Amino acid sequence: MSGQPISVQKAGAALKKPRPIGKGRQVDMKALAEVQSLLGDEPRRKDLLIEHLHKIQDTYHYISAAHLLALAHEMKLSRAEVYEVATFYHHFDVIKEDQTPPPQLTVRVCDSMTCEMLGANQLIESLENGMGEGVRIQRVPCIGRCDKAPVAVVGMNPIEFANVEKVTVEVSAKNSKPEDIEPLRFETYSEQYGYQTYQQCVNGQIPVEDVLTKMEDSGLRGLGGAGFPVGRKWRIVRDQPAPRLMAVNIDEGEPGTFKDKYYLDRDPHCFFEGMLIAAWAVGIDEIYIYLRDEYAAIREMLEVELVKLKNQPPVPNLPQIHLRRGAGAYICGEESAMIESIEGKRGMPRLRPPFVAQVGLFGRPTLEHNMESLYWVRDIIEKGPECLTKHGRNGRKGLRSFSVSGRVNKPGVHLAPAGITLRELVDEYCDGMQEGHTLYGYFPGGASGGILPASLANVPLDFDTLHEYGCFIGSAAIVVFSDKDKAKDLAVNAMRFFEDESCGQCTPCRVGTSKAVTLMQEAKWDETLLEELSQVMVDASICGLGQAAPNPLRCVIKYFPEELK
């Protein structure tokens, strides 16, 4: 025996033959060429994954397995990561090899609370029976046009006050493009002294401390629902180490809410100027605007107006502004879930602490704001805090943009004093209840804000005034219903929405909403079990979705017990 050591690993390597092809599914070269053509010269960064998925969806009306694989290859991401992101969002149709792609045209019909009240279910049934195989009819949650209910969307073309005839005409004509909107454009805004206040801030004519003080004195609070004081938030983020970022939340998905759409349809540059002032005051050089995908016409308009702003900047060294597109996930209205989505991930809320102001977008301190909060900044700086504080009722101060829908004669966005009551709002701003309808109840803060009966229509509507009733104002989405409606049915509708929109990260929310829907659809509610389930969801859910989901069912038990007999 020679005593020479024998390497088993070396012997095995010598016997091993190279694979002719790699493991797993292989990239289809035709699909890769198509993806490369769609992406063009755009960066292949991970945070642009959702933007690139939209390009495939928009072009082919679905995302094939071949395109998904090609995109992963092109972006140098794992196939699993691309797949899990694409399948998380409702607006991406991911089709496997053995599946049939959807028809070229999809008609989406909102079936959330107001639309259901005003005939959405009948409309969906009629369309499903009459459209034929070449058109897909799809139930979708609130699309931000509750004042024009019921609403259908042919491709990206919204049909307000929809009926079968209107939808059929648009489908037959293949009108699937977004509608035309005519807001105040950059040229006109500039001619009317737009961006002058921002210029004065940057040029030193208005000191930062004066701006921060005015914001604090105005009492302006976050108008996306949380209500955190804006001036205090600016100081907190300003004290964090640079570089600092800003994330603007326009993922307006709360059923019943459409105020952000209202303002953007009319005056986007007032919002842009407030955004730029905030960035200057806090010391921010990069801004990300996150817009819900349902606002296709607004997205096209903002893209055009942002180019104008960048090409004719009111001051040198304008912050970088990025417009990012949501993909149909209500959970991305939660600030940390939105940040995850901007980073190209599934929109799943983060555990806190750390808070977004400390560790937010790309790990940097981040100023997160709802669009409307920034919309009021310019007026506060120009006119002083009293432009808000001089308004108010019932001991409250400020103005609120109420999105009102349901059984009223004049639904829409109504700018009214903070602290106004529902009865005053309906009578003074909405021209009363519709003929033949008597006020029975209302949602004071969208689907998650709870339900109050007509007997509590004199409670002031504002932050912190509704907590003792088990409700909150949130984004001030008011859904009014009458004696022709059932609070129980509307609560079931809200819970179905939460079940569909739960991100699934935490068990109390994922399982709790599903179990609640099953229990609430029973002829007789098991109130003890529902209350036990609600308490677990409130105590143990990671974010506000699961914590607020039980509000409507709890309110039905408390305020509408006769419906449960």
mmCIF file of all heavy atoms in Angstrom, residues 186-217:
data_model
loop_
_atom_site.group_PDB
_atom_site.id
_atom_site.type_symbol
_atom_site.label_atom_id
_atom_site.label_comp_id
_atom_site.label_asym_id
_atom_site.label_seq_id
_atom_site.Cartn_x
_atom_site.Cartn_y
_atom_site.Cartn_z
ATOM 1 N N PHE A 186 -49.103 74.110 -14.609
ATOM 2 C CA PHE A 186 -47.896 74.787 -14.122
ATOM 3 C C PHE A 186 -47.821 76.231 -14.616
ATOM 4 O O PHE A 186 -47.500 77.142 -13.844
ATOM 5 C CB PHE A 186 -46.661 74.007 -14.574
ATOM 6 C CG PHE A 186 -45.363 74.675 -14.225
ATOM 7 C CD1 PHE A 186 -44.829 74.570 -12.956
ATOM 8 C CD2 PHE A 186 -44.666 75.410 -15.180
ATOM 9 C CE1 PHE A 186 -43.627 75.187 -12.633
ATOM 10 C CE2 PHE A 186 -43.465 76.029 -14.863
ATOM 11 C CZ PHE A 186 -42.945 75.919 -13.582
ATOM 12 N N GLU A 187 -48.127 76.440 -15.901
ATOM 13 C CA GLU A 187 -48.008 77.787 -16.475
ATOM 14 C C GLU A 187 -48.944 78.766 -15.760
ATOM 15 O O GLU A 187 -48.530 79.878 -15.375
ATOM 16 C CB GLU A 187 -48.328 77.746 -17.972
ATOM 17 C CG GLU A 187 -47.378 76.894 -18.806
ATOM 18 C CD GLU A 187 -47.688 75.392 -18.757
ATOM 19 O OE1 GLU A 187 -48.691 75.011 -18.111
ATOM 20 O OE2 GLU A 187 -46.924 74.616 -19.371
ATOM 21 N N THR A 188 -50.200 78.362 -15.584
ATOM 22 C CA THR A 188 -51.178 79.246 -14.935
ATOM 23 C C THR A 188 -50.846 79.444 -13.475
ATOM 24 O O THR A 188 -50.939 80.563 -12.940
ATOM 25 C CB THR A 188 -52.597 78.654 -15.077
ATOM 26 O OG1 THR A 188 -52.862 78.402 -16.459
ATOM 27 C CG2 THR A 188 -53.643 79.597 -14.526
ATOM 28 N N TYR A 189 -50.462 78.376 -12.790
ATOM 29 C CA TYR A 189 -50.112 78.469 -11.371
ATOM 30 C C TYR A 189 -48.951 79.446 -11.178
ATOM 31 O O TYR A 189 -48.968 80.281 -10.262
ATOM 32 C CB TYR A 189 -49.750 77.086 -10.844
ATOM 33 C CG TYR A 189 -49.497 77.027 -9.357
ATOM 34 C CD1 TYR A 189 -50.556 76.947 -8.457
ATOM 35 C CD2 TYR A 189 -48.199 77.043 -8.856
ATOM 36 C CE1 TYR A 189 -50.319 76.886 -7.087
ATOM 37 C CE2 TYR A 189 -47.954 76.985 -7.490
ATOM 38 C CZ TYR A 189 -49.021 76.905 -6.603
ATOM 39 O OH TYR A 189 -48.791 76.848 -5.255
ATOM 40 N N SER A 190 -47.948 79.370 -12.050
ATOM 41 C CA SER A 190 -46.790 80.258 -11.945
ATOM 42 C C SER A 190 -47.185 81.706 -12.203
ATOM 43 O O SER A 190 -46.699 82.633 -11.526
ATOM 44 C CB SER A 190 -45.700 79.824 -12.935
ATOM 45 O OG SER A 190 -45.258 78.512 -12.655
ATOM 46 N N GLU A 191 -48.067 81.925 -13.174
ATOM 47 C CA GLU A 191 -48.534 83.280 -13.484
ATOM 48 C C GLU A 191 -49.298 83.891 -12.314
ATOM 49 O O GLU A 191 -49.328 85.112 -12.150
ATOM 50 C CB GLU A 191 -49.434 83.250 -14.723
ATOM 51 C CG GLU A 191 -48.682 82.958 -16.021
ATOM 52 C CD GLU A 191 -49.628 82.690 -17.177
ATOM 53 O OE1 GLU A 191 -50.865 82.765 -16.948
ATOM 54 O OE2 GLU A 191 -49.148 82.397 -18.283
ATOM 55 N N GLN A 192 -49.921 83.031 -11.492
ATOM 56 C CA GLN A 192 -50.696 83.508 -10.343
ATOM 57 C C GLN A 192 -49.853 83.516 -9.063
ATOM 58 O O GLN A 192 -50.350 83.297 -7.970
ATOM 59 C CB GLN A 192 -51.935 82.618 -10.160
ATOM 60 C CG GLN A 192 -52.894 82.665 -11.335
ATOM 61 C CD GLN A 192 -54.070 81.697 -11.210
ATOM 62 O OE1 GLN A 192 -54.156 80.918 -10.250
ATOM 63 N NE2 GLN A 192 -54.977 81.751 -12.156
ATOM 64 N N TYR A 193 -48.554 83.763 -9.245
ATOM 65 C CA TYR A 193 -47.591 83.876 -8.134
ATOM 66 C C TYR A 193 -47.366 82.539 -7.417
ATOM 67 O O TYR A 193 -46.988 82.508 -6.239
ATOM 68 C CB TYR A 193 -48.038 84.947 -7.129
ATOM 69 C CG TYR A 193 -48.279 86.293 -7.787
ATOM 70 C CD1 TYR A 193 -49.580 86.746 -8.025
ATOM 71 C CD2 TYR A 193 -47.203 87.083 -8.212
ATOM 72 C CE1 TYR A 193 -49.804 87.962 -8.653
ATOM 73 C CE2 TYR A 193 -47.426 88.304 -8.840
ATOM 74 C CZ TYR A 193 -48.731 88.726 -9.063
ATOM 75 O OH TYR A 193 -48.944 89.929 -9.698
ATOM 76 N N GLY A 194 -47.595 81.459 -8.129
ATOM 77 C CA GLY A 194 -47.296 80.158 -7.561
ATOM 78 C C GLY A 194 -45.805 79.979 -7.340
ATOM 79 O O GLY A 194 -44.982 80.527 -8.091
ATOM 80 N N TYR A 195 -45.443 79.258 -6.322
ATOM 81 C CA TYR A 195 -44.074 78.954 -5.900
ATOM 82 C C TYR A 195 -43.336 80.182 -5.365
ATOM 83 O O TYR A 195 -42.144 80.106 -5.049
ATOM 84 C CB TYR A 195 -43.266 78.302 -7.030
ATOM 85 C CG TYR A 195 -43.804 76.936 -7.393
ATOM 86 C CD1 TYR A 195 -44.512 76.727 -8.581
ATOM 87 C CD2 TYR A 195 -43.632 75.847 -6.536
ATOM 88 C CE1 TYR A 195 -45.028 75.481 -8.907
ATOM 89 C CE2 TYR A 195 -44.156 74.595 -6.852
ATOM 90 C CZ TYR A 195 -44.846 74.420 -8.039
ATOM 91 O OH TYR A 195 -45.356 73.192 -8.357
ATOM 92 N N GLN A 196 -44.033 81.311 -5.237
ATOM 93 C CA GLN A 196 -43.384 82.505 -4.696
ATOM 94 C C GLN A 196 -43.039 82.314 -3.217
ATOM 95 O O GLN A 196 -41.959 82.711 -2.760
ATOM 96 C CB GLN A 196 -44.289 83.721 -4.875
ATOM 97 C CG GLN A 196 -43.632 85.038 -4.516
ATOM 98 C CD GLN A 196 -44.542 86.226 -4.799
ATOM 99 O OE1 GLN A 196 -45.448 86.517 -4.012
ATOM 100 N NE2 GLN A 196 -44.327 86.882 -5.921
ATOM 101 N N THR A 197 -43.943 81.703 -2.475
ATOM 102 C CA THR A 197 -43.685 81.465 -1.047
ATOM 103 C C THR A 197 -42.516 80.517 -0.867
ATOM 104 O O THR A 197 -41.657 80.712 0.011
ATOM 105 C CB THR A 197 -44.952 80.888 -0.377
ATOM 106 O OG1 THR A 197 -46.027 81.818 -0.540
ATOM 107 C CG2 THR A 197 -44.731 80.635 1.108
ATOM 108 N N TYR A 198 -42.443 79.502 -1.691
ATOM 109 C CA TYR A 198 -41.313 78.573 -1.634
ATOM 110 C C TYR A 198 -40.006 79.297 -1.943
ATOM 111 O O TYR A 198 -38.983 79.081 -1.265
ATOM 112 C CB TYR A 198 -41.554 77.427 -2.623
ATOM 113 C CG TYR A 198 -40.401 76.465 -2.766
ATOM 114 C CD1 TYR A 198 -39.828 75.851 -1.659
ATOM 115 C CD2 TYR A 198 -39.878 76.155 -4.030
ATOM 116 C CE1 TYR A 198 -38.762 74.963 -1.794
ATOM 117 C CE2 TYR A 198 -38.824 75.261 -4.174
ATOM 118 C CZ TYR A 198 -38.268 74.672 -3.055
ATOM 119 O OH TYR A 198 -37.218 73.802 -3.196
ATOM 120 N N GLN A 199 -40.020 80.177 -2.932
ATOM 121 C CA GLN A 199 -38.822 80.950 -3.273
ATOM 122 C C GLN A 199 -38.387 81.820 -2.097
ATOM 123 O O GLN A 199 -37.189 81.908 -1.791
ATOM 124 C CB GLN A 199 -39.105 81.822 -4.495
ATOM 125 C CG GLN A 199 -39.271 81.040 -5.794
ATOM 126 C CD GLN A 199 -39.759 81.911 -6.937
ATOM 127 O OE1 GLN A 199 -40.372 82.954 -6.729
ATOM 128 N NE2 GLN A 199 -39.492 81.481 -8.162
ATOM 129 N N GLN A 200 -39.360 82.423 -1.417
ATOM 130 C CA GLN A 200 -39.033 83.282 -0.273
ATOM 131 C C GLN A 200 -38.410 82.471 0.862
ATOM 132 O O GLN A 200 -37.514 82.955 1.562
ATOM 133 C CB GLN A 200 -40.291 84.000 0.216
ATOM 134 C CG GLN A 200 -40.814 85.033 -0.764
ATOM 135 C CD GLN A 200 -42.159 85.608 -0.355
ATOM 136 O OE1 GLN A 200 -42.839 85.059 0.531
ATOM 137 N NE2 GLN A 200 -42.569 86.698 -0.983
ATOM 138 N N CYS A 201 -38.867 81.240 1.028
ATOM 139 C CA CYS A 201 -38.289 80.365 2.055
ATOM 140 C C CYS A 201 -36.834 80.041 1.721
ATOM 141 O O CYS A 201 -35.934 80.205 2.556
ATOM 142 C CB CYS A 201 -39.101 79.074 2.160
ATOM 143 S SG CYS A 201 -40.744 79.260 2.888
ATOM 144 N N VAL A 202 -36.607 79.611 0.502
ATOM 145 C CA VAL A 202 -35.262 79.199 0.098
ATOM 146 C C VAL A 202 -34.307 80.387 0.083
ATOM 147 O O VAL A 202 -33.123 80.247 0.445
ATOM 148 C CB VAL A 202 -35.309 78.514 -1.285
ATOM 149 C CG1 VAL A 202 -33.907 78.206 -1.794
ATOM 150 C CG2 VAL A 202 -36.140 77.239 -1.218
ATOM 151 N N ASN A 203 -34.799 81.561 -0.289
ATOM 152 C CA ASN A 203 -33.952 82.757 -0.380
ATOM 153 C C ASN A 203 -33.680 83.404 0.979
ATOM 154 O O ASN A 203 -32.977 84.418 1.053
ATOM 155 C CB ASN A 203 -34.588 83.789 -1.317
ATOM 156 C CG ASN A 203 -34.638 83.286 -2.755
ATOM 157 O OD1 ASN A 203 -33.854 82.422 -3.142
ATOM 158 N ND2 ASN A 203 -35.553 83.825 -3.541
ATOM 159 N N GLY A 204 -34.256 82.871 2.049
ATOM 160 C CA GLY A 204 -33.993 83.391 3.382
ATOM 161 C C GLY A 204 -34.929 84.484 3.832
ATOM 162 O O GLY A 204 -34.778 85.023 4.946
ATOM 163 N N GLN A 205 -35.916 84.857 3.005
ATOM 164 C CA GLN A 205 -36.863 85.896 3.398
ATOM 165 C C GLN A 205 -37.809 85.406 4.487
ATOM 166 O O GLN A 205 -38.326 86.211 5.273
ATOM 167 C CB GLN A 205 -37.662 86.369 2.180
ATOM 168 C CG GLN A 205 -36.810 87.044 1.118
ATOM 169 C CD GLN A 205 -37.593 87.285 -0.167
ATOM 170 O OE1 GLN A 205 -37.499 86.519 -1.121
ATOM 171 N NE2 GLN A 205 -38.378 88.342 -0.184
ATOM 172 N N ILE A 206 -38.056 84.099 4.526
ATOM 173 C CA ILE A 206 -38.887 83.502 5.574
ATOM 174 C C ILE A 206 -38.008 82.495 6.317
ATOM 175 O O ILE A 206 -37.615 81.481 5.745
ATOM 176 C CB ILE A 206 -40.129 82.804 4.992
ATOM 177 C CG1 ILE A 206 -40.957 83.781 4.149
ATOM 178 C CG2 ILE A 206 -40.982 82.210 6.110
ATOM 179 C CD1 ILE A 206 -42.167 83.131 3.478
ATOM 180 N N PRO A 207 -37.687 82.745 7.572
ATOM 181 C CA PRO A 207 -36.807 81.832 8.319
ATOM 182 C C PRO A 207 -37.484 80.486 8.611
ATOM 183 O O PRO A 207 -38.715 80.409 8.734
ATOM 184 C CB PRO A 207 -36.534 82.591 9.625
ATOM 185 C CG PRO A 207 -36.900 84.010 9.344
ATOM 186 C CD PRO A 207 -38.004 83.961 8.318
ATOM 187 N N VAL A 208 -36.675 79.465 8.741
ATOM 188 C CA VAL A 208 -37.202 78.135 9.035
ATOM 189 C C VAL A 208 -37.994 78.129 10.332
ATOM 190 O O VAL A 208 -39.079 77.540 10.410
ATOM 191 C CB VAL A 208 -36.045 77.103 9.125
ATOM 192 C CG1 VAL A 208 -36.552 75.762 9.641
ATOM 193 C CG2 VAL A 208 -35.385 76.921 7.779
ATOM 194 N N GLU A 209 -37.480 78.791 11.357
ATOM 195 C CA GLU A 209 -38.162 78.773 12.655
ATOM 196 C C GLU A 209 -39.553 79.396 12.561
ATOM 197 O O GLU A 209 -40.495 78.934 13.221
ATOM 198 C CB GLU A 209 -37.324 79.500 13.706
ATOM 199 C CG GLU A 209 -37.873 79.412 15.118
ATOM 200 C CD GLU A 209 -38.042 77.981 15.613
ATOM 201 O OE1 GLU A 209 -37.201 77.126 15.278
ATOM 202 O OE2 GLU A 209 -39.035 77.717 16.329
ATOM 203 N N ASP A 210 -39.708 80.432 11.741
ATOM 204 C CA ASP A 210 -41.025 81.047 11.551
ATOM 205 C C ASP A 210 -41.998 80.048 10.925
ATOM 206 O O ASP A 210 -43.171 79.983 11.308
ATOM 207 C CB ASP A 210 -40.921 82.281 10.654
ATOM 208 C CG ASP A 210 -40.301 83.470 11.371
ATOM 209 O OD1 ASP A 210 -39.916 83.309 12.545
ATOM 210 O OD2 ASP A 210 -40.195 84.549 10.747
ATOM 211 N N VAL A 211 -41.502 79.296 9.948
ATOM 212 C CA VAL A 211 -42.354 78.301 9.295
ATOM 213 C C VAL A 211 -42.760 77.222 10.283
ATOM 214 O O VAL A 211 -43.945 76.844 10.371
ATOM 215 C CB VAL A 211 -41.620 77.684 8.082
ATOM 216 C CG1 VAL A 211 -42.377 76.466 7.555
ATOM 217 C CG2 VAL A 211 -41.450 78.722 6.978
ATOM 218 N N LEU A 212 -41.808 76.707 11.048
ATOM 219 C CA LEU A 212 -42.122 75.654 12.015
ATOM 220 C C LEU A 212 -43.116 76.138 13.061
ATOM 221 O O LEU A 212 -44.050 75.419 13.446
ATOM 222 C CB LEU A 212 -40.832 75.172 12.690
ATOM 223 C CG LEU A 212 -39.815 74.469 11.779
ATOM 224 C CD1 LEU A 212 -38.527 74.195 12.546
ATOM 225 C CD2 LEU A 212 -40.383 73.174 11.223
ATOM 226 N N THR A 213 -42.946 77.358 13.497
ATOM 227 C CA THR A 213 -43.853 77.919 14.505
ATOM 228 C C THR A 213 -45.265 78.080 13.942
ATOM 229 O O THR A 213 -46.262 77.769 14.618
ATOM 230 C CB THR A 213 -43.324 79.273 15.012
ATOM 231 O OG1 THR A 213 -42.040 79.089 15.601
ATOM 232 C CG2 THR A 213 -44.260 79.871 16.047
ATOM 233 N N LYS A 214 -45.365 78.565 12.715
ATOM 234 C CA LYS A 214 -46.684 78.717 12.098
ATOM 235 C C LYS A 214 -47.379 77.368 11.927
ATOM 236 O O LYS A 214 -48.588 77.243 12.137
ATOM 237 C CB LYS A 214 -46.554 79.408 10.736
ATOM 238 C CG LYS A 214 -46.309 80.902 10.815
ATOM 239 C CD LYS A 214 -46.276 81.529 9.424
ATOM 240 C CE LYS A 214 -46.088 83.045 9.510
ATOM 241 N NZ LYS A 214 -46.082 83.686 8.171
ATOM 242 N N MET A 215 -46.614 76.376 11.546
ATOM 243 C CA MET A 215 -47.208 75.054 11.385
ATOM 244 C C MET A 215 -47.731 74.532 12.718
ATOM 245 O O MET A 215 -48.824 73.943 12.792
ATOM 246 C CB MET A 215 -46.189 74.076 10.799
ATOM 247 C CG MET A 215 -45.738 74.408 9.380
ATOM 248 S SD MET A 215 -47.086 74.592 8.204
ATOM 249 C CE MET A 215 -47.810 72.965 8.287
ATOM 250 N N GLU A 216 -46.971 74.737 13.776
ATOM 251 C CA GLU A 216 -47.421 74.298 15.102
ATOM 252 C C GLU A 216 -48.644 75.086 15.554
ATOM 253 O O GLU A 216 -49.608 74.512 16.083
ATOM 254 C CB GLU A 216 -46.278 74.447 16.103
ATOM 255 C CG GLU A 216 -45.138 73.461 15.872
ATOM 256 C CD GLU A 216 -43.914 73.762 16.705
ATOM 257 O OE1 GLU A 216 -43.669 74.957 17.015
ATOM 258 O OE2 GLU A 216 -43.185 72.817 17.049
ATOM 259 N N ASP A 217 -48.622 76.408 15.360
ATOM 260 C CA ASP A 217 -49.732 77.251 15.808
ATOM 261 C C ASP A 217 -51.013 76.992 15.028
ATOM 262 O O ASP A 217 -52.117 77.247 15.518
ATOM 263 C CB ASP A 217 -49.359 78.728 15.685
ATOM 264 C CG ASP A 217 -48.253 79.134 16.667
ATOM 265 O OD1 ASP A 217 -47.987 78.347 17.603
ATOM 266 O OD2 ASP A 217 -47.661 80.217 16.476
#
